[in-house]
Amino acid sequence: MAQSAKRDYYEVLSVDRNASEDEIKKAFRKLARQYHPDLQTDPGKKKAAEEKFKESGEAYEILSDPERRKKYDMFGHSGGPQGFGGGEGQGGFEDVFGDIFEGFFGGGRGRSRAEAGTDLQYNLELSFEEAVTGKEAKLKVPRWETCDTCHGSGARSEKSIRTCHSCKGSGTIRLQQGFFTINRPCGECQGTGRIIAEPCSECRGNRRVYRERNLSVTIPAGMEPGMRLRLSHEGEHGANGGPPGDLYVAIIVKPHKFFTRKGNDILYDLPIHFVIATLGGKVEVPTLKGSTIVKVPEGTQPDKILRLKGLGIPSVKTRQPGDQLIRIKIQIPTKVTPRERELLMELAQESQVSTEQGDGEGLFDKVKNLFE
């Protein structure tokens, strides 16, 4: 391709002239995957793809290096009197190709990289009361940990570690892929550059062991179902010296026999006789702090809410407690004594309520409706 016919490098990568290094790298990766000759299924398009692949590679090699990019922005393709020179951009060029080829061919660029440990989740079941008041929980968490015996080397001793003869300790084997030469992890040493002659007796050369770790966790008051606590670095240990993951404690709350949670409030359904609802009275009500007496006002209607301030659930953030809500459920008797029937008949007559069934309502339906 003649120099005068070269396209603008920014145009080649389809990025703005003020694009960041990360944007340039992402644009090149996309083009490299699209036009890599070894991935072309149509032989007729392979030559054109190869040209575009080379063109995008050349554009990235210049724009990925700050000094070369500065010269290109000032002088164009000529790079000025001194040209573009070697620069430091080639390192980044090789890095991004290594990442791309790793995806294409399952390869890598050297010794085994450190990998972060896996995050873990522990499902902790609490009673309704424990979720309200909080508790100190004892956990047993199985996880992979770095071997204490060999300190993660996988070898019985330092003398048991030999340099890999296949890759000469580099961890990579040089391969030809189409027109391009790449490095792949050495199959002999799995990219570590070394061979363990005598594995560690504890981990058998795996560098990590599977153990159960005992932890003590403070569960704050007011935790709701579905909430999670994050314990940093208490997940599985990373491979090849990588950092450990995190442990998430997921909260599961068992239902209560009487209470239902509504945010930071506690809801309790209180069944009362319709006489108490009509005339008013005092009723004993259970709370999480023991029983208390609640005054039911005269003429209380079904589903009316009475509120006990501060007897709810404390907020996890503010520690301020909610309230206990008492929802009135009026009980209508299904059986009455002769005397009760006599009194109810008198009430019906006094209230001018018909006891006949023709209008679709019986006596007790009428009585119930008096209080609605």
Side-chain angles (χ1 to χ4, degrees):
M1 185 181 294
Q3 183 162 309
S4 59
K6 285 185 178 181
R7 289 198 298 155
D8 179 79
Y9 288 149
Y10 292 101
E11 180 185 342
V12 170
L13 298 181
S14 298
V15 295
D16 296 332
R17 302 192 75 84
N18 59 351
S20 66
E21 293 182 16
D22 187 56
E23 290 173 329
I24 290 173
K25 188 174 184 178
K26 287 180 180 178
F28 172 60
R29 280 179 172 173
K30 180 180 178 181
L31 292 173
R33 291 188 178 98
Q34 181 179 354
Y35 293 116
H36 192 282
D38 289 346
L39 298 180
Q40 304 305 312
T41 57
D42 187 346
K45 296 182 179 180
K46 189 168 184 177
K47 183 64 177 178
E50 182 176 333
E51 291 299 323
K52 288 186 176 293
F53 185 69
K54 290 180 179 179
E55 181 185 42
S56 60
E58 180 181 326
Y60 177 75
E61 186 174 4
I62 298 302
L63 298 184
S64 63
D65 180 82
E67 291 299 322
R68 287 174 151 190
R69 183 178 179 180
K70 184 177 180 181
K71 288 183 179 181
Y72 177 75
D73 289 342
M74 293 177 64
F75 304 108
H77 290 293
S78 69
Q82 303 300 323
F84 289 111
E88 299 179 356
Q90 291 180 344
F93 183 68
E94 292 173 358
D95 286 344
V96 74
F97 265 109
D99 292 341
I100 292 170
F101 289 135
E102 184 173 358
F104 286 158
F105 311 114
R109 294 171 30 255
R111 298 176 183 271
S112 297
R113 299 178 181 178
E115 298 178 8
T118 304
D119 292 339
L120 299 177
Q121 177 166 304
Y122 186 100
N123 295 329
L124 179 63
E125 187 176 64
L126 303 175
S127 68
F128 190 90
E129 290 85 355
E130 287 173 337
V132 172
T133 61
K135 67 172 293 186
E136 193 76 15
K138 306 296 183 182
L139 311 183
K140 290 184 177 181
V141 183
R143 67 178 188 179
W144 285 102
E145 297 182 354
T146 301
C147 178
D148 293 331
T149 303
C150 66
H151 304 291
S153 70
R156 177 171 294 181
S157 67
E158 288 294 328
K159 295 180 180 179
S160 303
I161 302 175
R162 306 280 189 271
T163 300
C164 177
H165 67 276
S166 296
C167 65
K168 304 297 187 291
S170 67
T172 59
I173 299 295
R174 202 168 186 80
L175 294 175
Q176 186 77 27
Q177 292 286 350
F179 72 95
F180 209 83
T181 301
I182 65 170
N183 292 330
R184 291 182 61 180
C186 174
E188 185 75 17
C189 63
Q190 280 72 53
T192 64
R194 59 184 192 167
I195 299 294
I196 297 176
E198 296 180 275
C200 169
S201 59
E202 179 70 19
C203 67
R204 301 175 184 265
N206 293 320
R207 303 182 182 135
R208 296 188 300 170
V209 292
Y210 202 63
R211 291 193 181 125
E212 190 173 69
R213 176 168 169 77
N214 295 318
L215 292 173
S216 180
V217 182
T218 300
I219 307 299
M223 292 293 286
E224 295 187 55
M227 282 185 169
R228 298 198 306 173
L229 298 175
R230 182 169 71 93
L231 305 181
S232 299
H233 309 308
E234 290 295 350
E236 290 188 341
H237 288 194
N240 304 314
D246 297 331
L247 172 64
Y248 291 88
V249 181
I251 301 300
I252 300 172
V253 182
K254 292 185 286 188
H256 195 275
K257 185 177 180 180
F258 304 119
F259 303 128
T260 303
R261 181 166 184 163
K262 299 292 183 182
N264 289 326
D265 294 331
I266 294 176
L267 178 64
Y268 172 71
D269 285 337
L270 175 64
I272 63 173
H273 197 278
F274 73 86
V275 173
I276 298 177
T278 305
L279 303 178
K282 295 181 179 180
V283 182
E284 187 176 16
V285 174
T287 75
L288 290 176
K289 295 183 178 181
S291 298
T292 188
I293 300 299
V294 173
K295 183 178 180 181
V296 179
E298 181 179 325
T300 295
Q301 302 300 306
D303 293 328
K304 179 179 176 62
I305 298 294
L306 306 178
R307 186 179 297 268
L308 297 177
K309 284 286 190 180
L311 291 184
I313 302 170
S315 167
V316 174
K317 295 181 179 179
T318 66
R319 299 292 185 262
Q320 291 296 318
D323 302 329
Q324 178 165 326
L325 309 179
I326 302 171
R327 182 166 55 190
I328 300 297
K329 295 296 181 181
I330 297 178
Q331 293 179 315
I332 304 296
T334 57
K335 293 182 179 180
V336 293
T337 66
R339 177 58 179 159
E340 288 173 333
R341 178 176 293 277
E342 180 182 349
L343 293 173
L344 286 172
M345 291 297 292
E346 291 181 12
L347 175 62
Q349 292 175 5
E350 183 70 23
S351 303
Q352 296 183 349
V353 176
S354 173
T355 60
E356 299 296 329
Q357 299 293 323
D359 59 359
E361 290 186 306
L363 169 63
F364 295 112
D365 291 325
K366 291 288 189 179
V367 172
K368 178 180 177 182
N369 290 336
L370 288 175
F371 311 112
E372 293 182 348

